[in-house]
Amino acid sequence: MSTYSDDSKHLQLQIAARQAAEDERLAAEQFERGVISEQQLVSAMDATEMAVKHAIRHGVSRRDLPAA
C-alpha cells in the first residue's frame, strides 16, 4: 500500500475511534441524567474499545487515539 493510502486509512481509523469516544462521552452524560440504561452505556464503551483496538491492529499509534 502506498504511503498516501496508509495515511488515509490511519486517519479514517483515528476519526472513527474519536467519534466512538465522543459517542461514549455523550452516552455517559445521558446515563447520568437517566436517559439511557446502563447496558446502553456499556455498549458505547465497548464500541470505543473495539474502534481503538481495530485502529491499533492496523498500525495507528496508541498516542493518536483516545483512551479506551
Side-chain angles (χ1 to χ4, degrees):
M1 206 177 256
S2 73
T3 301
Y4 175 78
S5 295
D6 286 345
D7 289 347
S8 178
K9 180 70 173 176
H10 287 182
L11 181 58
Q12 290 173 353
L13 292 169
Q14 287 172 359
I15 290 169
R18 288 183 181 141
Q19 182 61 56
E22 177 62 14
D23 291 347
E24 179 183 336
R25 186 189 68 75
L26 293 172
E29 288 178 4
Q30 291 176 337
F31 175 73
E32 289 176 5
R33 292 193 319 259
V35 175
I36 65 170
S37 69
E38 183 176 1
Q39 183 55 47
Q40 289 171 304
L41 174 59
V42 170
S43 293
M45 294 166 71
D46 289 344
T48 300
E49 182 179 7
M50 288 173 31
V52 168
K53 285 182 176 181
H54 182 73
I56 290 170
R57 275 195 309 271
H58 286 87
V60 178
S61 173
R62 185 85 169 104
R63 67 185 169 136
D64 294 331
L65 297 167

